[in-house]
Amino acid sequence: MKTDRPELSESELKAEGETIRVMIKLYCRDHHNCSHPPCPECKELLGYAVERVARCPLGEERTTCGKCPIHCYKPSMRERIIEVMRYAGPRMFKEHPKLAARHVLQGLKKVVRS
Ligand SMILES: [Zn+2]
């Protein structure tokens, strides 16, 4: 019997990365007057966020990062990603309804910590 937490599957990880990428691009386009988002600053945030997801200790049981009890982001990055999600979340439904719906569903999962 396997007792380890299930790891994120390749496709989950890809969808997660895609969601973050779309959100950051949306935010960058509207806030940094960037014609080819993401700008270098946002690219840094994106790289950081994707890395955090890949290393998320909750694996498949993870919720969205904004609701996660672990807070693995360092504070400066956390503030930035929260701002991005707050802005891009509602707007994503218009442009990327499938990704947005997936993100909301994920956020409904409750994280039970032992
Ligand atoms: Zn930017």
Side-chain angles (χ1 to χ4, degrees):
M1 201 174 87
K2 202 165 175 279
T3 51
D4 289 346
R5 283 185 188 278
E7 289 199 355
L8 273 182
S9 68
E10 197 75 16
S11 62
E12 278 286 305
L13 199 58
K14 247 181 102 179
E16 206 56 53
E18 180 69 12
T19 306
I20 298 169
R21 198 171 61 86
V22 162
M23 282 181 157
I24 289 179
K25 276 173 84 169
L26 248 170
Y27 179 86
C28 184
R29 188 190 68 195
D30 294 352
H31 286 78
H32 301 151
N33 284 322
C34 192
S35 50
H36 299 286
C39 68
E41 202 183 308
C42 291
K43 215 178 245 174
E44 189 202 351
L45 179 63
L46 175 60
Y48 183 80
V50 168
E51 194 193 306
R52 299 318 316 173
V53 171
R55 293 183 187 181
C56 181
L58 293 178
E60 266 179 11
E61 290 170 41
R62 70 184 290 279
T63 175
T64 49
C65 290
K67 292 177 183 170
C68 184
I70 292 182
H71 302 318
C72 68
Y73 281 57
K74 58 184 177 190
S76 60
M77 287 298 196
R78 187 174 150 75
E79 262 166 45
R80 281 164 73 187
I81 202 76
I82 286 175
E83 210 186 313
V84 166
M85 290 193 172
R86 199 174 288 152
Y87 178 81
R91 285 162 182 83
M92 202 166 69
F93 271 102
K94 246 170 144 181
E95 299 182 38
H96 302 276
K98 255 175 112 176
L99 279 178
R102 191 189 156 279
H103 188 73
V104 169
L105 282 177
Q106 186 109 37
L108 292 177
K109 276 204 241 169
K110 284 221 171 68
V111 177
V112 183
R113 305 197 70 186
S114 47

